[in-house]
Amino acid sequence: MSLPYRWDLLLRYRLIEIVSYWEGRLTTQHLRNAFGIGRQQASKDINEYIRNVGPGNLKYDNHIKGYIPTDKFKPVVTKGIADEYLHILSRSEDIAHTTQGLDIGFANTHILQPPCRAVDPVILRGLVQAAREQRRIDIGYISVNNPETDGRIIVPHTLVCTPMRWHVRAYCEKNGAYRDFVLSRFRDAPEIMEVSEHGLEKDTAWNTEIELCIGPDPRLEKAQQKVIAHDYNMTRNKLTIKCKAALLQYVLQSYRLDKMETKPEAQQVVIANRKKIEKWLA
């Protein structure tokens, strides 16, 4: 259902709802720090939320000089799931990490940040332009197996963020196939050339959606399997994850399914439908 709110207002209303619901109190400071607005505007947004968005959801508490959720609180612009709150915590930590001195106001939180990879702005801008215009680009590339700069002509189509680093999905003329290239491993100034026929629409693995089914390691005791099933919100000891076939390897890595541990307590989850996705495991 579409909501009749401007995008900027919707973001504020969502923050109001998430903070008040999960932290049990909301002050104007949350909105002021998050959106760089004044106290008067923050108060106006909260009152507007109370009147027109979530009537009966919040009430003012003189003791904390802020707002608390009522017993009748019901999410309107959010789903009321934990991931919404945890996502905001992660984003606010990321902003504070890159913008010195900015504190959005969430206490008792610490997020481990992945290392910042060295990506040349000139190279990244070239890749973005080539992807937008479906052009060939001549650029140097290195790898662990080949640490010497190797000239490549590729046709990039999508930047991909994995838990630890950024890649670009591109057609590689040297290999005659679509491959993933780590952004931090490109070298030299890129040369953007003519338009190519090898665009996103011809990347079969990218355009193929598959379902990865995982379950608790059967080597675990039943009680242990129950713990794992609850951790991953499984239904009947199964969790189905939809993903692009081209990104399967990264999904496997994120669930530590790219290798088999000797001890089931370390492995925890296994692939439950290996035969159905075997074609893409290589």
Side-chain angles (χ1 to χ4, degrees), residues 134 155-157 171 178 196-204 207:
Q134 197 174 310
V155 186
H157 67 66
Y171 178 79
Y178 287 89
S196 170
E197 63 175 346
H198 296 288
L200 180 150
E201 70 282 352
K202 290 189 176 182
D203 189 346
T204 302
N207 293 305

Side-chain angles (χ1 to χ4, degrees), residues 91-277:
R91 292 302 91 203
S92 66
E93 181 80 3
D94 183 54
I95 293 172
H97 177 74
T98 56
T99 308
Q100 188 175 8
L102 179 61
D103 178 14
I104 295 183
F106 297 111
N108 314 109
T109 303
H110 181 75
I111 309 293
L112 289 177
Q113 295 289 339
C116 182
R117 304 276 177 161
V119 180
D120 189 325
V122 173
I123 290 175
L124 181 56
R125 286 195 293 267
L127 290 170
V128 170
Q129 180 184 343
R132 184 175 62 247
E133 301 173 1
Q134 197 174 310
R135 291 182 178 273
R136 301 168 70 229
I137 183 171
D138 190 347
I139 193 169
Y141 191 74
I142 64 172
S143 66
V144 175
N145 294 329
N146 185 12
E148 298 296 327
T149 301
D150 179 26
R152 297 289 185 98
I153 296 179
I154 63 174
V155 186
H157 67 66
T158 306
L159 295 176
V160 179
C161 180
T162 65
M164 289 300 294
R165 59 190 181 186
W166 280 85
H167 301 75
V168 64
R169 182 76 175 173
Y171 178 79
C172 176
E173 294 190 2
K174 178 180 179 179
N175 294 289
Y178 287 89
R179 297 287 182 89
D180 298 338
F181 297 90
V182 181
L183 291 188
S184 58
R185 293 180 179 172
F186 285 108
R187 296 292 186 271
D188 305 329
E191 178 187 351
I192 300 176
M193 302 184 291
E194 68 276 8
V195 173
S196 170
E197 63 175 346
H198 296 288
L200 180 150
E201 70 282 352
K202 290 189 176 182
D203 189 346
T204 302
W206 182 265
N207 293 305
T208 301
E209 186 176 82
I210 62 174
E211 292 186 347
L212 168 68
C213 184
I214 67 174
D217 191 320
R219 296 175 296 174
L220 293 169
E221 299 291 337
K222 294 296 183 182
Q224 293 174 310
Q225 292 186 36
K226 188 175 181 180
V227 172
I228 300 302
H230 183 271
D231 280 349
Y232 289 89
N233 196 27
M234 294 180 180
T235 300
R236 296 180 181 178
N237 276 14
K238 294 290 187 295
L239 174 65
T240 300
I241 305 159
K242 293 182 179 181
C243 71
K244 293 180 178 296
L247 303 181
L248 176 60
Q249 60 175 316
Y250 305 120
V251 176
L252 295 179
Q253 290 169 7
S254 67
Y255 285 93
R256 296 189 301 178
L257 290 167
D258 53 326
K259 59 181 179 180
M260 192 70 176
E261 299 286 351
T262 303
K263 296 182 177 180
E265 291 82 4
Q267 183 65 40
Q268 298 192 0
V269 295
V270 297
I271 301 173
N273 64 336
R274 182 174 292 272
K275 287 186 177 180
K276 287 187 177 182
I277 64 172

